[in-house]
Amino acid sequence: MWLLLGFGLVFLWAGSTIDPADNCSEDGRECAPWLVPLAQGLGALVALGAGLNMLANPNRGSFVDPATGDLVWWQGRIGNSGGDEGRIHPSQISKLRIVRQDDSDDAVHLYDRAGERLFWFDQEVIPWPYERWAQRLAARWPHIVVERID
């Protein structure tokens, strides 16, 4: 979304600095003054859409619920719908596995005490760097094992 916001703002800014009447070749054969307001309008639309999405729709994330102490995470949230979410008390977590990948983002998996991988918990719901987040969780609940696989 940050990339879309930047892209939209660049087109919005560029459209406001270019005079449509000057958007012609030197010989006057190629002239498209309508492209400048079109680019500016599309830039405004993209920037507005990205900004509103970032403002109103955090569609994935996680936090520790202060009332219950549970680790809560969600993905695919759109507006008020809950999306795919999970919840577990950290006392029931046994392992957090970080799998290093050369060609893409590291993978993160969370396991309960029964050894079951918890659904919808992955690298998209926690902040980067993943190891720092995992170490903070393990420091607060020392029984949690942080496993790194290279």
Side-chain angles (χ1 to χ4, degrees):
M1 285 300 125
W2 285 105
L3 186 62
L4 284 176
L5 179 66
F7 179 80
L9 289 175
V10 165
F11 269 76
L12 182 64
W13 171 78
S16 65
T17 60
I18 298 172
D19 182 17
D22 294 340
N23 192 28
C24 296
S25 63
E26 292 294 324
D27 59 5
R29 293 175 46 193
E30 296 177 11
C31 193
W34 57 271
L35 280 177
V36 175
L38 178 66
Q40 187 177 21
L42 286 175
L45 185 64
V46 168
L48 180 66
L52 288 176
N53 188 3
M54 290 189 316
L55 180 66
N57 187 18
N59 65 354
R60 60 182 172 254
S62 63
F63 71 97
V64 175
D65 186 352
T68 63
D70 290 350
L71 174 63
V72 181
W73 64 91
W74 63 93
Q75 288 188 17
R77 181 179 286 177
I78 297 174
N80 291 332
S81 74
D84 299 325
E85 50 189 40
R87 169 184 291 260
I88 189 171
H89 194 273
S91 65
Q92 300 304 310
I93 298 172
S94 67
K95 178 173 42 177
L96 193 102
R97 179 180 289 163
I98 301 172
V99 181
R100 297 222 183 264
Q101 300 177 13
D102 292 334
D103 57 345
S104 63
D105 205 10
D106 294 345
V108 179
H109 309 291
L110 186 67
Y111 295 89
D112 64 11
R113 290 200 175 228
E116 297 292 323
R117 183 173 170 216
L118 300 175
F119 293 110
W120 307 301
F121 187 94
D122 60 20
Q123 64 278 2
E124 293 185 359
V125 300
I126 60 174
W128 188 85
Y130 310 127
E131 287 185 43
R132 186 182 315 158
W133 183 88
Q135 293 299 337
R136 284 193 324 227
L137 187 69
R140 192 163 173 198
W141 291 279
H143 71 280
I144 299 174
V145 176
V146 177
E147 183 180 82
R148 288 177 212 89
I149 298 176
D150 291 323

